[in-house]
Amino acid sequence: MSVTRERLRQLELPEFAVTLRNAGLAGAGGAGFPTYAKWERLDEVDSLLVNHQESEPNYYIDKWLGRDRTEDLATLFEGLLDRAFDRIVIAAKETDRQAWLKPLETATDATVYEPDELPVDDDETGIVVAYTDDRYEYGMESVLMRLVADVVMGGDDLPMDHGWIVQNTETLLNVSRALADGEPMTRKFVHVDGRVPRHRFLEVPIGTPATDLLEAAGRTDDLDENEVLLDGGPGWSFEIDRSPEQFGVRKRTNCLLVMEESVVEENKLGGDRVNVLAPAAWKESVHETEPTETLEPDRVTVPLITNPAFEGVVTPSEPIVRPGDELEAGEMIARPGDGISVAQHAPIDGTVTGVEDRSITIDGHDEPAREAADAYRIYWTWCAECGRYLPEPKLEATDSSTFVCSRCR
């Protein structure tokens, strides 16, 4: 039995959500809602729907993960079937089957549904690959639920109300890392496209400035007065209301688009959503279909709330660092706030240079500076009794890996 599968079998159902919250997971599919909030209702559901649609014509993140990280995903699915779900349905476009999905089909020994065989039978169990026709709207959660699960959601309904959790593939890879390896979410796969010399598929630390991504795509000059930067894909994106120097990649960022301002204004829909699918021949461009570079920025600005549109529903994380603090990548820098909220972690080694209401800025440093900082580092960890996250000087070790705070001694 694999290590991942064994670790998942040892988890109690409430531990899934707690682990994902402390690992800082937010949906990587675009909305960026805290992932754990879905998994808190794990005892109410029996089915997982993997949104593998990736409808944007210049996106390859989920497709590539399904083909390149096949074993990781297959092992995760086996563990989740052991512990949490009766069935896992991977919903993908039939046009992607030959090029991208065959390895995952084989590795999971999945039952396959063709488009004309949907919805999936109510009594189906195990792993299913459900193929759909190639339509953009099938990437939308409510549409996919109706098509694949025969569930019509209305009003304020959520998939969990009908026995389902829905996640995209990149989010589930992050779930696997958090549950099996204790890894927080500190990196993101991102495309760059539009008015840039070349389409890019990059891996970057959370908070990487947009200028670094644009430079990697060949845009070393500033945006023209008639250009704007969008966060999202051609069919579903939003204008970024700050300069590329000030905008850092968020946990929900899949793509940065540079577009002509007049085109954006002509193609704005309700809620300021931008749909520029029609004005450009996206599929005819040359695309990078796998990550070709990992960026290592000199500075990152980590948002304390992944999607500002959710503020009021989601609470910003609470900083636990101060300017001047030295950090290692992966170290917690903000704990979950009250209500719906997640932790945040340092995406790079470096020094805290700014702590604001909605962000933390970290400047990277070279190896000598890192070694000098290690002598003064104070580590934080969880109290085994009450769960508070505190610096080690305020905790007492009960054994080599367990600590208890003064309140609980």
Side-chain angles (χ1 to χ4, degrees), residues 340-363:
I340 301 174
S341 184
V342 298
Q344 307 294 338
H345 304 78
I348 61 173
D349 296 338
T351 304
V352 177
T353 55
V355 178
E356 308 294 338
D357 289 343
R358 295 295 179 265
S359 66
I360 295 173
T361 301
I362 303 169
D363 282 12

Side-chain angles (χ1 to χ4, degrees), residues 205-221:
I206 302 299
T208 299
T211 46
D212 288 25
L213 283 80
L214 295 178
E215 183 176 348
R219 279 298 298 262
T220 57
D221 56 323

Side-chain angles (χ1 to χ4, degrees), residues 72-92:
D72 291 341
L73 290 169
T75 302
L76 172 67
F77 295 159
E78 289 171 358
L80 291 176
L81 285 174
D82 287 341
R83 194 70 191 91
F85 300 105
D86 295 333
R87 60 177 169 177
I88 297 174
V89 180
I90 305 162

Side-chain angles (χ1 to χ4, degrees), residues 20-21 24-25 34 36 251 315 317 334-337 340-344:
L20 299 181
R21 189 185 197 203
L25 266 66
Y36 85 92
K251 293 178 179 179
T315 306
S317 311
R335 59 189 166 199
I340 301 174
S341 184
V342 298
Q344 307 294 338

Side-chain angles (χ1 to χ4, degrees), residues 68 100 151 153 231 238 270 276 284 316 326 361 407 409:
D68 190 78
W100 299 100
V151 170
M153 297 193 303
D231 184 354
F238 297 89
V276 289
E284 296 177 13
E326 302 291 339
T361 301
R407 182 187 298 178
R409 289 172 196 163

Side-chain angles (χ1 to χ4, degrees), residues 1 6 17 24 30 33 38 53 85 87 112 114 117 133 147 172 190 215 246 249 257 288 302 314 319 322 324 349 371:
M1 181 179 295
E6 180 61 28
F33 198 78
K38 298 180 179 182
Q53 288 285 302
F85 300 105
R87 60 177 169 177
V112 174
E114 303 287 350
E117 297 173 322
D133 293 326
L147 183 69
L172 285 171
V190 184
E215 183 176 348
Q246 296 174 321
V249 166
L257 293 178
E288 291 185 345
V302 181
V314 176
R322 296 175 297 180
D349 296 338
E371 292 175 356

Side-chain angles (χ1 to χ4, degrees), residues 15 30 36 51 70 186 212 248 256 343 387 396 405:
E15 291 182 271
Y36 85 92
N51 187 341
T70 300
T186 60
D212 288 25
L256 294 179
E396 181 177 305
C405 70

